């Protein structure tokens, strides 16, 4: 072999070796990015905010309401002034009972607020209660208000329902999140297993993290909203200004929560409608965010609210919800014509069989 041939062969060998080196480094870089992304994903989405078990009904035996007591743990010593928030009230005597999901394409999640006046006031009554029904098959989201003054029989199963009507919002006070969800499932034939809970402060914080919400405020609502805003100032010392004009405007967290609490101007039905409008405005705001911004929002909101969903569950639910947001519906329970009013104490007495049938048809089309 001539010197030129040997030189040419050497150059080819060196080029192949160099190309192979580039390939190896490229593969290593890709693997490094993949491992890094995986570790970040585990870090970001592996957390469970509140460990609330869901128990098989065959393994569960209930006790009387008057014999149950709170065993809620957690630090509730920090006041709202110090940035604390109210812990979930979970009573292990009343776990969330397992209910099979009726349709794999329809998921029902309970979103509720509590009427706490301090971070340590965790055995209070629930306030706003909404079922967010995400229907991937029909590409729609249904937000269903459950009126807090609806008369129901409290209990975890059909066999343990009480014999005296109580307002629905008292279920949380008597048996925590478990009794509330179980009562709703039994009464209305639902399959709720997951929940999200807010107090006044955490609801305000979530709205602020999203940059506020745009709402259409009526002039006659201003004084009532500002009155509730003053009440919230006494609780947490916020610096949100009074609302000064009607019309479409962006409200910060405290202003939006104060507005949604208005009741005595009109009725609790209108109040529930305001709560749904805040929820839908917030969902629309998040829907328009970039994927990276949504991830950042999830990271920033960790620990602000109470839920039994892991971060990865929240992201899955959120993405499903955003995918269906172009078809958004609102509803409330009880339906018109399916309840009568009892004045002392004031509550709505519903036609249980008719209401269950109507709600099931609305959610599942049964």
């Amino acid at each position: 072999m001539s010197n030129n041939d040997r030189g040419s062969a050497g150059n080819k060998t060196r080029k192949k070796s160099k190309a192979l080196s580039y390939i190896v480094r490229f593969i290593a870089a890709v693997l490094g990015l993949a491992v890094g992304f995986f570790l970040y994903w585990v870090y970001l989405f592996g957390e469970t905010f509140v460990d609330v078990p869901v128990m098989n009904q065959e393994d569960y035996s209930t006790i009387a309401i008057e014999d149950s007591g709170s065993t809620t743990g957690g630090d509730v010593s920090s006041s709202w002034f110090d940035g604390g928030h109210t812990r979930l009230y979970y009573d292990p005597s009343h776990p969330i009972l397992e209910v099979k999901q009726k349709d794999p394409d329809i998921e029902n999640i309970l979103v509720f607020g509590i009427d706490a006046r301090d971070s340590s006031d965790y055995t209070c009554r629930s306030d706003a209660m909404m079922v967010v029904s995400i229907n991937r098959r029909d590409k729609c989201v249904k937000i269903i208000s459950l009126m807090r003054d609806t008369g129901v029989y409290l209990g975890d199963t059909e066999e343990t329902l009480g014999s005296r009507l109580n307002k629905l919002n008292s279920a949380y006070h008597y048996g925590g999140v478990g009794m509330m969800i179980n009562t709703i499932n039994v009464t209305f034939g639902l399959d709720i297993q997951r929940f999200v809970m807010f107090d006044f402060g955490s609801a305000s914080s979530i709205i602020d993290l999203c940059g506020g919400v745009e709402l259409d405020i009526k002039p006659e609502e201003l004084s009532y909203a500002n009155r509730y805003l003053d009440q919230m100032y006494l609780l947490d010392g916020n610096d949100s200004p009074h609302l000064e004009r009607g019309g479409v405007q962006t409200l910060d967290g405290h202003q939006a929560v104060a507005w949604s609490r208005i009741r005595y101007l009109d009725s609790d039905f209108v109040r529930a409608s305001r709560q749904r409008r805040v929820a839908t405005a917030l969902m629309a705001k998040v829907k328009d965010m970039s994927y990276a911004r949504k991830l950042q929002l999830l990271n920033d909101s960790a620990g602000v609210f109470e839920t039994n969903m892991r971060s990865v569950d929240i992201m899955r639910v959120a993405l499903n919800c955003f995918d269906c947001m172009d078809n958004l519906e609102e509803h409330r329970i009880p339906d018109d014509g399916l309840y009568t009013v009892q004045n002392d104490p004031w509550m709505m007495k519903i036609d249980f069989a008719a209401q269950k049938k109507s709600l099931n048809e609305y959610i599942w089309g049964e």
Side-chain angles (χ1 to χ4, degrees):
M1 180 181 292
S2 67
N3 289 335
N4 288 338
D5 291 337
R6 284 194 293 270
S8 177
N11 287 336
K12 289 180 179 179
T13 301
R14 284 192 293 272
K15 287 180 179 179
K16 288 181 180 179
S17 177
K18 193 173 183 180
L20 181 61
S21 175
Y22 284 142
I23 293 173
V24 170
R25 278 184 284 180
F26 175 75
I27 293 174
V30 171
L31 288 175
L33 287 172
V35 171
F37 180 77
F38 173 76
L39 292 176
Y40 175 73
W41 187 269
V42 170
Y43 164 76
L44 188 59
F45 297 119
E47 180 183 3
T48 300
F49 293 139
V50 181
D51 185 14
V52 177
V54 177
M55 184 175 291
N56 188 296
Q57 294 195 33
E58 295 178 356
D59 301 327
Y60 171 69
S61 59
T62 190
I63 61 175
I65 293 175
E66 57 268 20
D67 296 331
S68 63
S70 168
T71 57
T72 299
D75 179 16
V76 294
S77 59
S78 297
S79 69
W80 289 342
F81 266 97
D82 301 322
H85 71 278
T86 314
R87 300 291 298 174
L88 177 79
Y89 175 28
Y90 169 66
D91 184 344
S93 301
H94 302 281
I96 300 172
L97 297 185
E98 184 179 6
V99 179
K100 184 178 179 180
Q101 189 171 346
K102 292 186 176 184
D103 187 323
D105 290 326
I106 300 176
E107 184 169 11
N108 297 306
I109 298 167
L110 180 68
V111 179
F112 69 100
I114 55 172
D115 192 16
R117 304 310 166 101
D118 187 82
S119 60
S120 62
D121 186 18
Y122 56 83
T123 59
C124 57
R125 284 168 167 74
S126 57
D127 193 17
M129 291 171 282
M130 291 181 285
V131 177
V132 178
S133 184
I134 306 168
N135 188 324
R136 291 184 298 155
R137 184 184 63 237
D138 298 331
K139 296 294 183 182
C140 68
V141 177
K142 301 175 181 179
I143 300 180
I144 306 159
S145 293
L146 303 177
M147 303 301 293
R148 63 180 186 174
D149 292 327
T150 303
V152 297
Y153 298 104
L154 305 183
D156 298 295
T157 66
E158 289 277 5
E159 294 74 25
T160 61
L161 290 178
S163 58
R164 181 172 62 88
L165 284 176
N166 285 271
K167 293 184 180 182
L168 180 58
N169 70 334
S170 64
Y172 186 78
H173 170 72
Y174 284 121
V177 67
M179 176 173 282
M180 178 173 61
I181 288 178
N182 296 337
T183 297
I184 292 171
N185 283 339
V186 172
T187 302
F188 301 110
L190 301 186
D191 58 358
I192 297 168
Q193 302 285 266
R194 294 183 171 90
F195 67 85
V196 176
M197 186 205 87
F198 296 97
D199 62 17
F200 299 148
S202 58
S204 301
S205 297
I206 290 295
I207 294 171
D208 285 337
L209 285 172
C210 295
V213 289
E214 189 173 80
L215 296 166
D216 189 0
I217 309 302
K218 297 177 182 178
E220 61 267 25
E221 295 173 327
L222 294 176
S223 62
Y224 291 88
N226 290 333
R227 193 179 309 165
Y228 281 113
L229 199 56
D230 289 340
Q231 292 180 8
M232 294 174 69
Y233 171 79
L234 296 176
L235 296 174
D236 63 11
N238 70 85
D239 57 359
S240 295
H242 276 183
L243 299 176
E244 297 181 350
R245 63 176 180 84
V248 178
Q249 54 195 290
T250 298
L251 272 58
D252 69 23
H254 284 88
Q255 291 170 333
V257 171
W259 177 78
S260 71
R261 293 180 62 199
I262 296 173
R263 183 181 187 186
Y264 296 107
L265 170 63
D266 25 55
S267 70
D268 205 32
F269 292 107
V270 181
R271 175 179 176 271
S273 175
R274 291 190 185 95
Q275 294 165 353
R276 293 195 301 273
R277 286 164 61 189
V278 171
T280 54
L282 187 63
M283 292 167 68
K285 187 76 174 283
V286 178
K287 177 180 180 291
D288 292 336
M289 293 179 180
S290 67
Y291 187 75
R293 178 70 182 90
K294 290 171 184 173
L295 288 177
Q296 186 61 49
L297 176 62
L298 177 62
N299 192 41
D300 292 343
S301 63
V304 174
F305 53 88
E306 301 284 285
T307 179
N308 63 343
M309 290 189 283
R310 294 173 300 161
S311 297
V312 66
D313 295 321
I314 295 175
M315 180 55 68
R316 173 187 58 79
V317 168
L319 291 177
N320 288 338
C321 193
F322 299 147
D323 192 41
C324 302
M325 273 291 291
D326 290 335
N327 187 6
L328 186 63
E329 300 180 17
E330 296 183 24
H331 192 61
R332 64 153 170 82
I333 299 300
D335 289 340
D336 289 337
L338 296 184
Y339 71 94
T340 57
V341 172
Q342 172 184 290
N343 289 315
D344 189 20
W346 199 94
M347 70 173 66
M348 291 172 283
K349 300 176 68 174
I350 62 176
D351 182 331
F352 289 105
Q355 183 60 83
K356 181 185 290 188
K357 181 176 184 294
S358 175
L359 182 57
N360 279 244
E361 289 176 347
Y362 178 68
I363 293 177
W364 291 286
E366 296 176 352

